[in-house]
Amino acid sequence: MNETTSPTLLHAVGVTKRYGDVLALAGVDVSIRAGEAVAVMGASGSGKTTLLHCLAAVISPDSGSIRMTRPNGSVIELVGMDEDARSAVRRSSIGFIFQDHLLLPDLTAVENAALPLIMAGTPRVDAEHRAAQWLAHLGLDGMQDRRIGQLSGGQAQRVAIARAQVNGAPMVFADEPTGALDSATSTDVMTALLQSTARQNRGLVVVTHDADVARRCDRVLHMQDGRLVGESFAPQQRAEAGSAR
Ligand code: ADP
Ligand code: MG
């Protein structure tokens, strides 16, 4: 992705969040462009999940600015939005993938993946048709009618990826999406995640402890005590940055 031309999807400045005595975010600046995969690394308690939740409109920071460019080109400020407004933004513009997939066990794969569309008012048949297409795209052909308990960990996580894509969200967030998987499965899930987000010109932010996962992203942000303390680039990005000078 050419960094000079791809539009910024998310632009956060000076984001802070306090929990009682703990300053979980101490003023974070970050921008995410379309087509970019960004990893966030750091010790436990460094603020990674809090940052992800602020950027994904799950929680509201105490101060700072988070501007999101929506699919229609309008720019909205997430900081200060009430819960109803944030929830509407999440439904239309954000996909979220959790470590333990958080799929509904009594529903099938396709029913789980279709949920965001059904909640947004799409008729069930259409929603499940689109969900089935995403499942097939993610290598789950023939498994759409299985309940979650009948899937392996890697397959369930790919259903969660489908669920996060099905509304066409331009921004996708994942909190340790491979944390519960063995390394071969982790590689497959990361391939599916990159192919369905950054390679489709979406923005991806992925919190991870896994250096193999981080290495496959375009950029890695390093957090410590609620701050970004460093940034590293994938080899191809480094080469581009070098040749631009
Ligand atoms: P990480 O994801 O890097 O492990 P977190 O963002 O979960 O870090 O947490 C950052 C800090 O904020 C930690 O000290 C944590 O204990 C604290 N924290 C996070 N969420 C809450 C919460 N809901 N209530 C109180 N403290 C919290
Ligand atoms: Mg965390």
Side-chain angles (χ1 to χ4, degrees), residues 154-176:
Q155 288 166 342
Q157 199 55 307
R158 278 183 277 160
V159 176
I161 293 172
R163 182 182 55 181
Q165 310 301 336
V166 77
N167 62 358
M171 277 298 317
V172 175
F173 299 88
D175 197 352
E176 303 193 32

Side-chain angles (χ1 to χ4, degrees), residues 17-20 22-25 40-53 59 175-176 207 209 223 226:
K17 181 72 182 179
R18 178 178 284 283
Y19 293 110
V22 176
L23 190 54
L25 292 179
V40 180
M41 298 190 87
S44 180
S46 59
K48 305 180 297 295
T49 294
T50 305
L51 176 62
L52 210 66
H53 285 178
I59 58 174
D175 197 352
E176 303 193 32
V207 166
H209 286 292
M223 288 196 77

Side-chain angles (χ1 to χ4, degrees), residues 101 103 140 148-149 151-162 181 189:
H101 62 68
L103 297 165
L140 294 172
I148 301 311
L151 298 173
S152 70
Q155 288 166 342
Q157 199 55 307
R158 278 183 277 160
V159 176
I161 293 172
L181 305 175
V189 164

Side-chain angles (χ1 to χ4, degrees), residues 50-181:
T50 305
L51 176 62
L52 210 66
H53 285 178
C54 288
L55 297 179
V58 175
I59 58 174
S60 192
D62 298 329
S63 64
S65 165
I66 304 174
R67 286 170 184 264
M68 170 175 277
T69 305
R70 307 196 73 177
N72 68 6
S74 65
V75 177
I76 50 169
E77 173 60 72
L78 300 182
V79 177
M81 263 189 184
D82 68 21
E83 169 54 30
D84 285 352
R86 276 187 282 114
S87 153
V89 170
R90 290 198 302 272
R91 272 201 304 276
S92 67
S93 307
I94 287 170
F96 207 103
I97 298 153
F98 302 87
Q99 175 171 344
D100 296 314
H101 62 68
L102 298 183
L103 297 165
L104 299 177
D106 293 336
L107 298 185
T108 64
V110 73
E111 287 167 343
N112 267 283
L115 266 187
L117 288 174
I118 289 170
M119 275 155 48
T122 305
R124 189 187 178 97
V125 174
D126 298 344
E128 292 192 356
H129 180 70
R130 270 160 69 186
Q133 287 177 324
W134 269 110
L135 293 175
H137 179 72
L138 289 162
L140 294 172
D141 241 343
M143 298 190 191
Q144 61 183 59
D145 295 327
R146 290 205 197 171
R147 289 182 202 286
I148 301 311
Q150 299 172 304
L151 298 173
S152 70
Q155 288 166 342
Q157 199 55 307
R158 278 183 277 160
V159 176
I161 293 172
R163 182 182 55 181
Q165 310 301 336
V166 77
N167 62 358
M171 277 298 317
V172 175
F173 299 88
D175 197 352
E176 303 193 32
T178 63
L181 305 175

Side-chain angles (χ1 to χ4, degrees), residues 38-42 48 174-179 186 190 205-215 217 220-221:
V38 177
V40 180
M41 298 190 87
K48 305 180 297 295
D175 197 352
E176 303 193 32
T178 63
S186 164
M190 193 56 193
V205 183
V206 49
V207 166
T208 187
H209 286 292
D210 184 338
D212 290 331
V213 168
R215 205 171 294 127
C217 294
V220 186
L221 306 177

